Amino acid sequence: MASHRCGTSKSGFSVYLIRHLWSYMGGRTLFVDDGDGDLTRMEVSCGVPQGSVIGPCLWNIFYDDLLRLEIHEAAKLAGFADDIALVITVPNADLLKNNGNASLWSIDRWMQENGLQVAPKKSEAVVLTNKWAYLDPTFILGVQQIPVRSSMRYLGVQLDTRLNFGAHIRLATAAARRTVSALGRLMPNVQGPSASMRRLFMSVAHSKLLYASPVSALMAAKTTRNRKALNQAQRGAAIRVARHCRVTDSTSTTCGRGGPNPYCMHCEEPEDTVEYTLFNCPFWAEDRREMEQCVGRPL
């Protein structure tokens, strides 16, 4: 509570507004279940009211001091909600270790002064470099060591050491395949889903594959493995969409003895092949247009 008051004071708010916010945040209580079915009333003395419209604004005001913290000039702080990223740009591992630990110490001290704690178990680091031989630095947060990994997930993007986004592509394609498989089981088996459902099916798969593509596309496309993984995932989704399209007459089906009819049963074309039925037969023109809309490109 005091931290919020301090933050609003430093942000240049009027005394009237500060008192108004103080009144809004004071006198809050929380009912806690003790496990026996009894509710215990507890006074809330700190924290931002969750679920309120003004809550995110108050949190930003509170966290603004941390983002303006004076650290080494080679280090920068970036925040999103309650996630903090420390980015350090230095030429060698020794400077990375020294500047990183000094910045972490400043962050940890600010947290303690404002009644917060950093979770070391949820903290991790990654070294972004084009060097083939380098030493992983040792980072200490509080009394625990932060693990240095070959890739790290931040805001849904998997950042790897070489920044070729191979790890991100593997996770994105795996998520797209799982989603496609789950949605495929939900589709009706009788007569197939409508064109709008197939478009929705494909858009969900594309949303998984294209997540953070403005950041990762240029570097990921340079690697053959990444391009192949994306093509395989997109092809799997397209095949599932195509399987739901009817390629036989739904009104009647005939079976009988004798050899196969060499002519197309719809247009009497002598070349009755799968390729002709899929790409050229005029009887399936409307279904062909629906399929092109689903896959997003001409057949």
Side-chain angles (χ1 to χ4, degrees):
M1 300 287 285
S3 298
H4 291 299
R5 181 176 240 177
C6 180
T8 51
S9 301
K10 292 181 180 179
S11 300
F13 292 102
S14 64
V15 177
Y16 169 78
L17 182 57
I18 294 175
R19 290 178 178 176
H20 191 73
L21 290 175
W22 184 256
S23 177
Y24 162 71
M25 297 169 61
R28 292 184 290 132
T29 58
L30 185 67
F31 290 92
V32 181
D33 188 353
D34 58 4
D36 297 330
D38 298 330
L39 297 179
T40 303
R41 184 174 180 176
M42 301 181 62
E43 297 291 333
V44 179
S45 59
C46 60
V48 174
Q50 297 186 11
S52 62
V53 176
I54 200 174
C57 182
L58 293 176
W59 177 258
N60 290 337
I61 295 173
F62 174 56
Y63 236 37
D64 185 63
D65 284 346
L66 175 60
L67 298 178
R68 297 177 183 273
L69 193 65
E70 293 185 2
I71 53 179
H72 195 274
E73 59 181 6
K76 294 182 179 180
L77 284 172
F80 182 83
D82 60 344
D83 286 337
I84 289 294
L86 175 62
V87 182
I88 304 174
T89 305
V90 288
N92 57 64
D94 291 336
L95 289 176
L96 179 60
K97 175 183 177 180
N98 296 334
N99 295 339
N101 285 317
S103 301
L104 289 174
W105 181 84
S106 300
I107 294 172
D108 186 55
R109 184 182 63 177
W110 185 92
M111 291 287 182
Q112 293 179 6
E113 291 176 352
N114 289 271
L116 297 178
Q117 290 182 349
V118 182
K121 294 182 179 180
K122 295 182 179 180
S123 303
E124 55 186 354
V126 61
V127 178
L128 306 179
T129 180
N130 56 4
K131 297 180 179 179
W132 290 103
Y134 62 91
L135 296 176
D136 286 334
T138 302
F139 295 126
I140 304 298
L141 180 59
V143 295
Q144 296 189 24
Q145 181 176 342
I146 297 178
V148 179
R149 308 187 186 281
S150 59
S151 64
M152 181 185 72
R153 189 175 184 85
Y154 184 67
L155 300 182
V157 182
Q158 198 75 16
L159 303 173
D160 56 83
T161 299
R162 304 296 176 190
L163 273 186
N164 58 13
F165 295 97
H168 176 74
I169 296 299
R170 287 194 297 271
L171 291 178
T173 52
R177 286 194 294 267
R178 289 194 300 268
T179 302
V180 167
S181 178
L183 289 177
R185 291 192 292 268
L186 297 176
M187 292 292 182
N189 293 325
V190 180
Q191 296 185 350
S194 62
S196 61
M197 291 298 296
R198 294 198 297 269
R199 284 194 295 269
L200 176 63
F201 186 96
M202 203 65 184
S203 65
V204 173
H206 282 164
S207 67
K208 294 287 187 178
L209 293 173
L210 298 178
Y211 182 79
S213 58
V215 177
S216 61
L218 292 178
M219 294 300 297
K222 295 180 180 180
T223 306
T224 303
R225 180 182 299 177
N226 292 340
R227 295 196 301 269
K228 184 178 179 181
L230 290 171
N231 289 335
Q232 288 178 346
Q234 199 275 342
R235 182 175 180 271
I239 289 176
R240 285 184 175 268
V241 170
R243 284 177 178 176
H244 289 300
C245 299
R246 297 190 301 272
V247 294
T248 58
D249 191 356
S250 61
T251 58
S252 63
T253 304
T254 58
C255 298
R257 294 178 178 271
N261 187 357
Y263 296 92
C264 177
M265 62 182 297
H266 301 294
C267 62
E268 298 299 327
E269 171 67 28
E271 186 183 0
D272 185 21
T273 62
V274 175
E275 181 178 358
Y276 174 79
T277 301
L278 183 60
F279 295 103
N280 304 110
C281 182
F283 182 83
W284 304 106
E286 184 64 27
D287 296 87
R288 194 177 298 116
R289 282 192 292 270
E290 291 184 7
M291 184 182 297
E292 290 177 347
Q293 293 176 358
C294 292
V295 299
R297 60 182 179 86
L299 297 176

